[in-house]
Amino acid sequence: MNNEEKKEGTLTVDIYFKDNDLVIVAPIAGASFDNIEILIEGDVLIIKGERMPPEHIDPSLYEHQECFWGPFSRTIVLPKGLDLDSVKAYYHNGILMVKIPKKEDRKVKRVEIQIN
């Protein structure tokens, strides 16, 4: 890898159903709202962005480094039955939350048969 290529990190997520929504939660410390992008392509949700370090440190000065700084992404295949036109995203205190409602169930309608 040359100096111009950046290694990309993977975003960790929790995914669960609550009430009538699929909820995706991702801690993204160090990323500003402007550096996060959420895309939906078909049945796939893509979250990508970049974490910026609080200050630039020469890599040779590190004794130990676990925090990932730089570009990240996560691709999630979504289950069927979601209303992808009603996705909402919230970002607060370094936590991204994406909510996707389930489509309303079609109601069963009984049709009366007329006898002529």
Side-chain angles (χ1 to χ4, degrees), residues 24-80:
I24 301 165
V25 178
I28 312 178
S32 75
F33 177 74
D34 297 335
N35 289 343
I36 301 171
E37 186 174 16
I38 301 171
L39 307 166
I40 296 179
E41 295 180 8
D43 63 348
V44 175
L45 177 79
I46 302 165
I47 303 170
K48 59 184 179 176
E50 187 166 0
R51 290 183 180 104
M52 305 303 289
E55 63 178 305
H56 176 71
I57 303 294
D58 182 332
S60 66
L61 299 176
Y62 279 99
E63 178 69 26
H64 181 78
Q65 183 179 16
E66 291 183 2
C67 298
F68 178 82
W69 304 106
F72 62 83
S73 69
R74 181 63 184 256
T75 302
I76 301 164
V77 177
L78 299 170
K80 296 196 182 306

